[in-house]
């Protein structure tokens, strides 16, 4: 990956609506080499997919809850069941396995407390957990989908 590739992905992660001509001009390439680089970056998996970023509040999905999970089960059977369970919930936006006091951190987005409670009841019905702690987000101070590319090269 060279500086042109980095410029391309930096521009795309900020604004995927740019035409190839606009993108090529912005990174200092002609259209064809720019397009080929994008194709290669997609094929290599550097660019996973292109999406629209939606505003949850405009869609009546204003509650974000971080769910911290502890389990006393540390075997492949439980892990497979857990992965299957969390994959089945559209409210679960992210799942991270952690080192430290908690085993997993889920980011859940839903309408309100009642819909979160319904989610929680469905979750504990699907998978055995030893401890669950939920933290309700009061305010989102920063949100970005842009990766910090400045330190790559």
């Amino acid at each position: 990956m060279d500086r042109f590739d980095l410029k391309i992905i930096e521009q795309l992660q900020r604004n995927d609506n740019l035409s190839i001509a606009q993108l090529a001009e912005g990174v200092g390439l002609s259209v064809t080499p720019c397009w080929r680089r994008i194709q290669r970056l997609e094929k290599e998996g550097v660019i996973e997919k292109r999406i629209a970023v939606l505003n949850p509040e405009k869609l009546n999905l204003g509650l974000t809850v971080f769910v911290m999970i502890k389990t006393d089960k540390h075997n492949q059977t439980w892990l497979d069941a857990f992965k299957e369970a969390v994959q089945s919930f559209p409210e679960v936006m992210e799942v991270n396995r952690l080192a430290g006091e908690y085993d997993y951190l889920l980011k859940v987005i839903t309408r309100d407390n009642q819909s979160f409670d319904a989610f929680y009841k469905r979750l504990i019905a699907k998978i055995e957990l030893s401890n669950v702690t939920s933290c309700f987000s009061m305010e989102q101070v920063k949100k970005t989908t842009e990766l910090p590319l400045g330190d790559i090269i």
Side-chain angles (χ1 to χ4, degrees):
M1 183 170 311
D2 63 16
R3 67 181 182 89
F4 288 112
D5 290 341
L6 283 175
K7 285 182 177 180
I8 289 169
I9 60 177
E10 185 175 51
Q11 291 294 317
L12 286 175
Q13 75 174 354
R14 286 193 181 134
N15 183 359
D16 187 49
N17 288 330
L18 296 172
S19 69
I20 297 298
Q22 291 171 315
L23 184 59
E25 181 181 334
V27 301
L29 290 171
S30 60
V31 172
T32 302
C34 184
W35 176 247
R36 285 188 186 132
R37 284 172 180 266
I38 293 169
Q39 294 290 313
R40 180 179 46 78
L41 290 164
E42 288 175 338
K43 183 179 178 184
E44 292 173 353
V46 173
I47 299 172
E48 290 183 4
K49 60 182 167 179
R50 300 186 201 191
I51 60 169
V53 178
L54 306 178
N55 182 327
E57 290 183 7
K58 299 275 185 184
L59 298 166
N60 196 28
L61 294 168
L63 182 64
T64 300
V65 183
F66 295 94
V67 180
M68 296 172 288
I69 293 174
K70 288 183 184 180
T71 181
D72 55 7
K73 309 270 192 255
H74 296 280
N75 58 64
Q76 194 62 48
T77 301
W78 184 90
L79 179 58
D80 291 343
F82 177 73
K83 285 181 179 179
E84 183 180 327
V86 294
Q87 291 289 338
S88 72
F89 293 108
E91 301 94 335
V92 177
M93 306 305 295
E94 293 180 30
V95 178
N96 292 277
R97 189 166 57 89
L98 307 175
E101 184 177 351
Y102 289 92
D103 297 307
Y104 296 92
L105 176 67
L106 282 58
K107 179 180 180 183
V108 176
I109 295 182
T110 189
R111 285 188 320 275
D112 53 27
N113 287 344
Q114 292 78 21
S115 59
F116 176 75
D117 187 48
F119 157 79
Y120 174 80
K121 289 174 182 175
R122 292 189 330 267
L123 175 67
I124 61 172
K126 273 195 165 191
I127 190 78
E128 185 180 345
L129 306 169
S130 62
N131 188 323
V132 179
T133 300
S134 299
C135 297
F136 291 74
S137 176
M138 302 300 291
E139 175 186 15
Q140 187 174 63
V141 177
K142 179 181 178 180
K143 177 183 178 181
T144 185
T145 59
E146 295 180 27
L147 294 175
L149 301 177
D151 294 332
I152 292 181
I153 288 187

